[in-house]
Amino acid sequence: MAQHLVIVESPAKSKTIEKFLGPGYKVLASYGHVRALPSKQGMVDVEHDFEPQYRVLPESRKHIQALIKEVEKCDELILATDPDREGEAIAWHLLNALGIDENADHPKVKRVVFHEITRDAVKKALESPRRVAGELVDAQQARAVLDYLVGFNLSPFLWKKIRYGLSAGRVQSVALRLICEREKEINAFESREYWTIDALLAQLKTAGKSPSFKARLHALDGKRLDKFAITSQQQAADLEKQIAECAFEVGKVTQSEKKRNPAPPFTTSTLQQEASRKLGYSARKTMSNAQKLYEGVDIGSGAVGLITYMRTDSVALSQEATNQAREVITGQYGKEYALDKPRAFRNKAKNAQEAHEAIRPTDLSNTPEKVKPFLSSDQYRLYRLVWMRTIASQMAAAILDATTVDINAGERFMFRASGQVVRFPGFMKVYIEGTDEAEEEAQGTLPALTEGDKLDRRELLPEQHFTQPPPRYTEASLVKTLEEYGIGRPSTYAGIMNTLVARKYVRLEKRTFYPEDVGMVVNDLLTRHFTRYVDYDFTAQLEEELDAISRGEQKWRPAIRAFWEPFIEQLKTKEKEVSKADVTTEKTDRSCPECGKPLVVKLGRAGKFLACSGFPECRYTEPLSGEEKEEPVMSEEKCDKCGAPMLIKDGRYGKFLACSAYPDCKNIQPLVKPKALDITCPECGEGELMEKKSRYGKIFYSCNRYPKCKYALWDQPLKQPCPQCGFPVTVEKTTKREGTVHKCPQEGCDWKKVITPPEPKPAAKSKTAAPSKTAGKTKTTTKSKTAAGAPKSTTARKSTASKQSKK
């Protein structure tokens, strides 16, 4: 019987830690949060000093029951949840859900924290237990209550004024504002034309052998040219003609030494930014893989956490880490690349909490190549990024020789060429930080030039340019901006961005955010009527108050009251002042071509469109883009309800048949009729499988007795029973990985027959990461398949058939 029960958050972490502790210890998982505020009204009792009405999560009940049984057997309960506010709150919620008094003698309660899951770190933590930190719990409670009060009061307001199902969040709405305001800047941007003139030059004394280099026109008549000094092709051509008659000669040569220092080790936000830039990972994917690396991976000698805790604002490294980094750098790169004393960094982020270390490998001797065989491709690439960044942060500065050459062309013109040479690469040998801005043209090397050298002008290169609008936000740049403002916390960024996309407020294309029409309307409503609550500085000030609560400098209930009272008063006022028509309708100067009434811009499910203000008497609509509305085409089909001809119309999910007698007859039919396959439904034995098309255009196969029978398949069914289990139907599936196969669709049967083998893969051009041992079985992959509607189970089949057969 275990005398010591340790509770952590995840089962993966529990398995790793249990191996470190040995007999007498049992490690179990809470499976994340165990209590929360239910998603319904009234769960914060405003009348009784904002008392939160927590409930055990439905999915956590069985875990709590299992923990209660184990607690009864133990003498000591050790809470080892994550070392941040959220982890502290989970520890507190666990005590409440288990009905345990922290001050009781049996079981004796201890709280321990560790920032890396290694044998030494875990044992050291157990030697220094403490109590649950009430201030951190209060700060997390304040955040939960604050977000609840905003979400459950502002969201219903959006339902009334725009449409049902929308949501507003304290930080989510500020992130939306950033994206929408950037889009407005882009739409309002007026591009300006400008020209540059480059000269392709070479040393005259070795003109036949010397490589050419470029210099740009920099000054005219002793005055430096600004960006818009040359604004037209004619002006550029006139200058080119004058320059063509000039002789080129080296004027002044300036040489200087420049030092470049490495970027600091990763924080949560910089890890998300760099993984987006260099690996193309979303914030969610980055954190998911980082979690697995933190919780533990078996690298041959047993499971061990490979990186330190991945939710941190700190850029600090422990002395142990810097000492180890020096050993690795000296061994792998040489003494000249190591530092005499560790390099320390200062955090530039607003409201940074620096209680932890930066994100780093737990053991720097575990090089990426050493652990590669034990990691999936995604995990390896992320671990390699963390390892290189940590090592580079403790390497010597890079030394560059920079040269600037001023070149005279006649009496009036001066060109300038710049180049730099890396004299000592330092940290650049391992890692260079990425950037969100467009990369400047790389500076090449220049030939050895001295004052008075004559130069051969090989070509003049005038070039037209246009100023560009500010770039849209990417996941990386949005995280960076939120952090700079001090808005949100490291653990919240991935969820914020995911919510904006899930609510269809924005869409993510090629890692770039584009606001949707509904997102713009929601943002306009909030910024116009609730300006204070989507203000960047106000939101950052709230974060500072939460930090003050975590330090014990402020009580959480008065802070919530100070926010709530003016907020609810303003909401009540706006309920009366704002009408739905004001928010979702915009006037235009156009008239309806059918009835002459004014046309207005309205917000529909698919975005904004033009509609007649005389609705419902006049139902004229047209796309907002101004494209001519396509007239419905008469089909050869007759309505099976009234006999009138059927029209081919365009809908949200493509073309469909609609009765021409509308609105007297509202019959609609799919344009492509289901195709019978002459295969009896294997589930009900009465119906026949039909080939149908989903609302999104994907082919699927289902029983014609729907909704009585909801059997459905994505794969082509075959009228051949399974030779292994006897199921009356098999299916044909073609994929790149397996080629064309026949297999059994019955769960639990693994019969499969290869019909056409997959095409052989082309030879790799470069060395790639080892394939994952769990490729195709990760949590993320499973989610994406489920989201696509793949009927993996009876439940999924029912859900899919129910939704798709309606069309």
Side-chain angles (χ1 to χ4, degrees):
M1 183 173 71
Q3 295 176 333
H4 308 278
L5 176 64
V6 181
I7 302 180
V8 294
E9 291 178 36
S10 79
K13 195 193 298 185
S14 68
K15 291 175 185 175
T16 305
I17 294 172
E18 194 163 64
K19 292 175 183 176
F20 298 154
L21 298 180
Y25 286 88
K26 186 163 188 176
V27 186
L28 295 177
S30 70
Y31 290 82
H33 290 270
V34 293
R35 293 201 315 169
L37 293 169
S39 295
K40 57 183 180 181
Q41 289 287 358
M43 290 298 102
V44 172
D45 192 344
V46 177
E47 301 301 323
H48 292 84
D49 210 12
F50 305 98
E51 185 64 29
Q53 309 296 310
Y54 295 115
R55 299 287 185 273
V56 173
L57 296 167
E59 61 269 25
S60 296
R61 287 171 189 158
K62 61 180 180 181
H63 304 307
I64 290 296
Q65 290 304 316
L67 289 172
I68 288 173
K69 290 179 182 177
E70 292 297 331
V71 167
E72 291 171 354
K73 306 174 188 176
C74 76
D75 298 323
E76 187 175 74
L77 174 62
I78 302 169
L79 302 170
T81 48
D82 286 344
D84 56 11
R85 291 181 195 170
E86 200 169 358
E88 206 71 28
I90 290 174
W92 179 77
H93 281 297
L94 272 167
L95 291 176
N96 282 273
L98 296 171
I100 295 173
D101 182 357
E102 189 179 6
N103 299 311
D105 292 328
H106 188 84
K108 192 172 181 62
V109 177
K110 293 180 180 179
R111 167 76 170 126
V112 301
V113 294
F114 38 81
H115 301 101
E116 58 186 71
I117 302 177
T118 58
R119 189 180 301 275
D120 290 343
V122 171
K123 289 190 173 180
K124 189 176 179 181
L126 289 172
E127 292 168 3
S128 307
R130 60 169 173 81
R131 295 175 61 82
V132 173
E135 296 85 359
L136 297 181
V137 173
D138 286 348
Q140 192 64 22
Q141 282 201 92
R143 180 182 294 278
V145 169
L146 200 57
D147 290 343
Y148 176 93
L149 291 174
V150 172
F152 276 85
N153 287 279
L154 208 48
S155 296
F157 178 78
L158 297 182
W159 303 348
K160 297 173 189 173
K161 307 305 178 184
I162 301 178
R163 68 160 179 250
Y164 183 78
L166 300 180
S167 73
R170 187 177 58 87
V171 180
Q172 165 198 322
S173 299
V174 178
L176 176 64
R177 181 184 175 186
L178 282 168
I179 295 169
C180 292
E181 286 190 345
R182 178 59 56 87
E183 193 69 19
K184 290 178 180 179
E185 287 178 48
I186 292 169
N187 293 336
F189 183 81
E190 293 183 6
S191 185
R192 289 182 65 183
E193 179 185 7
Y194 67 98
W195 287 72
T196 56
I197 300 176
D198 289 344
L200 198 61
L201 306 170
Q203 289 174 290
L204 194 58
K205 56 187 177 185
T206 55
K209 303 175 184 177
S210 178
S212 58
F213 64 93
K214 275 186 183 180
R216 177 159 292 181
L217 181 60
H218 183 73
L220 174 62
D221 295 328
K223 184 179 178 182
R224 180 177 174 177
L225 299 176
D226 63 21
K227 188 174 186 175
F228 299 104
I230 309 171
T231 56
S232 68
Q233 184 176 8
Q234 182 61 51
Q235 191 180 358
D238 290 343
L239 289 170
E240 181 187 8
K241 187 176 179 181
Q242 295 174 49
I243 295 167
E245 299 172 357
C246 299
F248 283 72
E249 179 181 300
V250 175
K252 183 181 177 184
V253 179
T254 306
Q255 292 182 319
S256 61
E257 177 184 290
K258 290 184 178 179
K259 283 190 176 182
R260 183 173 173 185
N261 286 316
F266 281 130
T267 62
T268 303
S269 66
T270 55
L271 178 64
Q272 290 176 4
Q273 292 168 48
E274 198 73 341
S276 176
R277 298 182 193 116
K278 289 188 181 290
L279 307 180
Y281 290 2
S282 67
R284 173 161 287 194
K285 182 175 180 179
T286 298
M287 296 310 290
S288 173
N289 282 286
Q291 181 87 31
K292 291 168 188 170
L293 293 173
Y294 165 70
E295 288 178 349
V297 177
D298 189 341
I299 58 172
S301 56
V304 63
L306 289 180
I307 65 170
T308 54
Y309 192 54
M310 64 288 164
R311 294 190 180 95
T312 176
D313 292 331
S314 176
V315 289
L317 293 176
S318 66
Q319 185 177 351
E320 180 186 356
T322 55
N323 290 343
Q324 200 176 37
R326 181 178 171 78
E327 289 176 14
V328 172
I329 294 164
T330 303
Q332 290 199 15
Y333 305 103
K335 254 185 178 180
E336 65 275 21
Y337 285 90
L339 298 171
D340 293 331
K341 61 177 183 178
R343 181 183 284 109
F345 296 90
R346 291 183 62 187
N347 201 322
K348 297 178 182 178
K350 193 176 181 183
N351 294 344
Q353 299 171 43
E354 301 192 335
H356 319 324
E357 273 193 86
I359 302 169
R360 63 163 176 87
T362 55
D363 185 349
L364 285 164
S365 65
N366 285 327
T367 62
E369 290 69 31
K370 183 178 175 181
V371 300
K372 183 177 180 179
F374 308 101
L375 303 179
S376 70
S377 175
D378 287 341
Q379 290 168 359
Y380 164 72
R381 295 175 72 203
L382 190 66
Y383 179 78
R384 182 171 177 267
L385 195 68
V386 173
W387 188 91
M388 290 192 303
R389 176 92 165 209
T390 307
I391 288 290
S393 73
Q394 294 303 310
M395 291 179 75
I399 300 174
L400 302 94
D401 287 330
T403 304
T404 302
V405 182
D406 290 344
I407 299 164
N408 298 320
E411 298 291 329
R412 301 183 60 208
F413 303 98
M414 192 267 278
F415 283 71
R416 177 167 287 178
S418 298
Q420 62 183 25
V421 178
V422 178
R423 193 201 308 168
F424 174 66
F427 74 91
M428 294 171 66
K429 193 175 182 73
V430 175
Y431 178 88
I432 301 174
E433 186 180 31
T435 176
D436 293 315
E437 287 73 35
E439 295 287 347
E440 293 180 10
E441 189 175 337
Q443 293 185 333
T445 58
L446 295 173
L449 299 169
T450 56
E451 191 173 333
D453 280 356
K454 306 295 182 185
L455 299 174
D456 174 41
R457 175 186 54 77
R458 293 183 176 175
E459 194 175 356
L460 287 175
L461 303 168
E463 187 177 357
Q464 183 185 39
H465 306 272
F466 291 94
T467 53
Q468 298 298 312
R472 291 180 176 87
Y473 283 105
T474 61
E475 282 198 325
S477 60
L478 185 60
V479 166
K480 184 179 180 181
T481 304
L482 288 170
E483 185 185 40
E484 286 173 349
Y485 275 115
I487 294 170
R489 296 257 49 87
S491 59
T492 64
Y493 295 139
I496 290 167
M497 292 183 286
N498 186 64
T499 300
L500 291 176
V501 174
R503 294 290 180 184
K504 293 186 168 40
Y505 287 172
V506 302
R507 67 182 186 278
L508 197 56
E509 291 182 5
K510 296 180 180 178
R511 291 186 283 157
T512 302
F513 287 110
Y514 293 79
E516 299 283 18
D517 286 340
V518 66
M520 295 291 279
V521 170
V522 168
N523 177 65
D524 287 345
L525 172 63
L526 295 178
T527 52
R528 188 178 305 150
H529 299 288
F530 297 91
T531 310
R532 184 185 184 209
Y533 300 102
V534 289
D535 179 73
Y536 307 132
D537 292 335
F538 176 77
T539 309
Q541 178 60 38
L542 279 179
E543 294 292 350
E544 289 178 3
E545 289 187 31
L546 293 172
D547 289 345
I549 294 168
S550 72
R551 296 190 296 267
E553 298 168 3
Q554 191 172 342
K555 298 297 182 183
W556 75 270
R557 293 179 196 268
I560 296 295
R561 188 180 301 107
F563 172 89
W564 170 253
E565 290 174 354
F567 171 75
I568 195 63
E569 282 303 315
Q570 185 168 350
L571 188 63
K572 289 175 181 176
T573 301
K574 295 299 179 181
E575 286 268 15
K576 300 172 185 175
E577 292 180 356
V578 180
S579 69
K580 185 172 183 176
D582 293 338
V583 177
T584 60
T585 305
E586 301 172 32
K587 294 180 180 179
T588 72
D589 55 1
R590 290 187 53 193
S591 299
C592 175
E594 291 187 2
C595 72
K597 290 183 179 178
L599 286 180
V600 293
V601 177
K602 287 199 169 187
L603 178 68
R605 285 278 174 188
K608 291 184 176 181
F609 64 99
L610 281 169
C612 181
S613 57
F615 179 86
E617 289 77 17
C618 178
R619 295 175 176 266
Y620 178 82
T621 62
E622 69 175 67
L624 188 59
S625 60
E627 297 171 5
E628 200 169 313
K629 190 179 178 185
E630 188 178 339
E631 290 295 323
V633 178
M634 194 73 73
S635 73
E636 296 178 0
E637 299 277 340
K638 299 292 183 184
C639 177
D640 56 3
K641 291 186 177 179
C642 71
M646 298 288 278
L647 300 172
I648 300 175
K649 287 191 170 185
D650 255 323
R652 288 177 66 192
Y653 304 108
K655 295 184 183 297
F656 66 98
L657 291 171
C659 183
S660 59
Y662 179 86
D664 297 323
C665 178
K666 297 180 179 179
N667 185 25
I668 60 171
Q669 296 288 334
L671 184 61
V672 180
K673 296 290 192 294
K675 176 182 170 184
L677 300 179
D678 191 29
I679 299 175
T680 303
C681 174
E683 189 160 290
C684 69
E686 299 178 28
E688 181 181 0
L689 293 184
M690 310 285 285
E691 180 184 296
K692 298 180 180 179
K693 187 178 284 190
S694 75
R695 61 174 65 183
Y696 301 106
K698 188 174 180 180
I699 298 296
F700 72 103
Y701 309 90
S702 66
C703 182
N704 65 351
R705 293 182 67 242
Y706 177 84
K708 291 182 179 179
C709 177
K710 297 178 179 177
Y711 186 78
L713 294 164
W714 283 125
D715 302 322
Q716 169 81 50
L718 303 172
K719 199 174 183 179
Q720 300 168 3
C722 173
Q724 183 167 300
C725 70
F727 192 68
V729 171
T730 52
V731 297
E732 181 174 288
K733 186 178 182 71
T734 302
T735 62
K736 285 185 179 180
R737 177 178 291 181
E738 297 184 333
T740 300
V741 298
H742 288 176
K743 63 179 186 177
C744 181
Q746 185 76 336
E747 288 184 22
C749 180
D750 58 0
W751 178 81
K752 186 186 296 184
K753 180 181 178 183
V754 177
I755 306 301
T756 306
E759 293 183 8
K761 293 183 179 180
K765 293 183 180 178
S766 60
K767 188 176 179 182
T768 56
S772 167
K773 292 181 181 178
T774 57
K777 297 182 183 178
T778 63
K779 187 176 179 182
T780 305
T781 306
T782 305
K783 279 189 177 181
S784 66
K785 287 184 179 179
T786 306
K792 289 281 182 185
S793 64
T794 306
T795 305
R797 286 199 296 268
K798 289 179 180 180
S799 174
T800 303
S802 174
K803 288 180 180 178
Q804 295 174 344
S805 300
K806 288 179 183 178
K807 225 33 203 173

